[in-house]
């Protein structure tokens, strides 16, 4: 059906999205630039030329030549490392080779995180994700529960310089607290 469950929420990747991200070529356990594996006429690559510089790794950790980057991704279908600008797609999960369709869907899903980063949106998830990111920015302990007034005070008293993305996160959370 194309539907899957993530964090107890039903999601889908449309056929059009997967088709727009159709790959021309990739090799297992080789890090490549997106511009080298997407078709040159890819509309998304034309709209976001900077995404061509991001890397992608289709990996199989059961092979001897697996890359260090993929070692922590073994138990997931895919991952996006926003600090290293790399997408990882697992081609073998629990010892079973994944279908090309599943690999392409995972690639499309991980690409959404890349677009979130380029556009300056919080990465992944929903409301709890932005709250977690705001707690990190404010220097709060993630394990501690904090009342709204303390949370708001912590966000308003940040003195360190913030990135544009961090400023957006703080602004969104402060607006939602004020409501």
């Amino acid at each position: 059906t194309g539907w899957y469950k993530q964090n107890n929420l039903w999601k889908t990747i449309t056929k059009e999205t997967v088709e727009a991200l159709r790959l021309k070529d990739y090799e297992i356990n080789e890090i490549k630039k997106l511009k080298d594996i997407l078709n040159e006429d890819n509309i998304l690559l034309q709209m976001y030329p900077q995404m061509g510089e991001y890397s992608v790794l289709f990996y199989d950790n059961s092979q001897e030549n697996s890359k260090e980057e993929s070692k922590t991704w073994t138990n997931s279908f895919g991952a996006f490392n926003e600090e290293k600008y790399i997408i990882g797609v697992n081609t073998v999960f629990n010892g079973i080779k994944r279908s090309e369709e599943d690999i392409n869907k995972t690639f499309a899903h991980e690409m959404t995180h890349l677009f979130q980063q380029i556009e300056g949106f919080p990465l992944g998830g929903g409301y709890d994700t932005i709250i977690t990111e705001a707690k990190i920015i404010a220097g709060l302990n993630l394990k501690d529960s904090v009342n709204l007034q303390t949370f708001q005070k912590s966000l308003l008293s940040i003195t360190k310089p913030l990135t544009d993305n961090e400023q957006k996160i703080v602004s969104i959370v402060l607006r939602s607290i004020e409501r």
Side-chain angles (χ1 to χ4, degrees):
T1 64
W3 286 89
Y4 63 97
K5 207 167 190 181
Q6 181 182 4
N7 299 330
N8 284 332
L9 297 173
W10 283 100
K11 299 183 177 190
T12 187
I13 299 285
T14 65
K15 288 179 185 176
E16 293 82 11
T17 302
V18 174
E19 198 55 44
L21 294 168
R22 185 67 55 200
L23 306 167
K24 67 177 177 186
D25 186 23
Y26 69 87
E27 295 174 38
I28 305 299
N29 294 329
E30 290 296 322
I31 298 173
K32 300 256 184 162
K33 295 287 185 191
L34 281 171
K35 66 183 177 190
D36 296 328
I37 64 165
L38 291 172
N39 292 314
E40 296 81 21
D41 63 345
N42 183 292
I43 187 72
L44 295 169
L45 196 52
Q46 291 171 19
M47 291 173 63
Y48 297 95
Q50 67 269 44
M51 83 180 209
E53 295 306 313
Y54 283 69
S55 297
V56 65
L57 172 60
F58 292 87
Y59 61 94
D60 174 358
N61 282 334
S62 67
Q63 295 183 1
E64 285 183 28
N65 68 337
S66 64
K67 300 289 184 205
E68 196 59 39
E69 290 84 351
S70 65
K71 300 292 186 194
T72 59
W73 301 333
T74 300
N75 295 320
S76 64
F77 290 138
F80 175 63
N81 184 320
E82 66 270 14
E83 292 165 1
K84 294 185 177 180
Y85 303 105
I86 186 170
I87 290 173
V89 179
N90 198 347
T91 60
V92 176
F93 190 74
N94 288 337
I96 300 169
K97 182 166 177 17
R98 298 178 65 218
S99 71
E100 285 301 311
E101 181 180 355
D102 283 347
I103 289 169
N104 282 323
K105 284 181 182 177
T106 298
F107 177 65
H109 171 83
E110 297 307 329
M111 286 293 293
T112 62
H113 299 301
L114 180 148
F115 296 124
Q116 288 167 336
Q117 184 177 46
I118 289 172
E119 292 290 347
F121 299 131
L123 300 178
Y127 187 71
D128 60 333
T129 304
I130 197 168
I131 295 298
T132 299
E133 290 188 35
K135 280 184 167 183
I136 292 168
I137 294 165
L140 298 171
N141 187 334
L142 296 179
K143 294 179 182 176
D144 294 341
S145 61
V146 180
N147 69 42
L148 284 179
Q149 196 172 27
T150 303
F151 194 20
Q152 183 179 33
K153 196 176 201 178
S154 297
L155 292 171
L156 290 170
S157 63
I158 295 171
T159 57
K160 68 178 183 175
L162 300 177
T163 66
D164 289 343
N165 193 39
E166 289 172 331
Q167 288 173 357
K168 285 180 186 178
I169 291 167
V170 169
S171 176
I172 290 167
V173 173
L174 285 173
R175 280 196 311 262
S176 69
I177 289 173
E178 291 167 0
R179 290 184 182 155

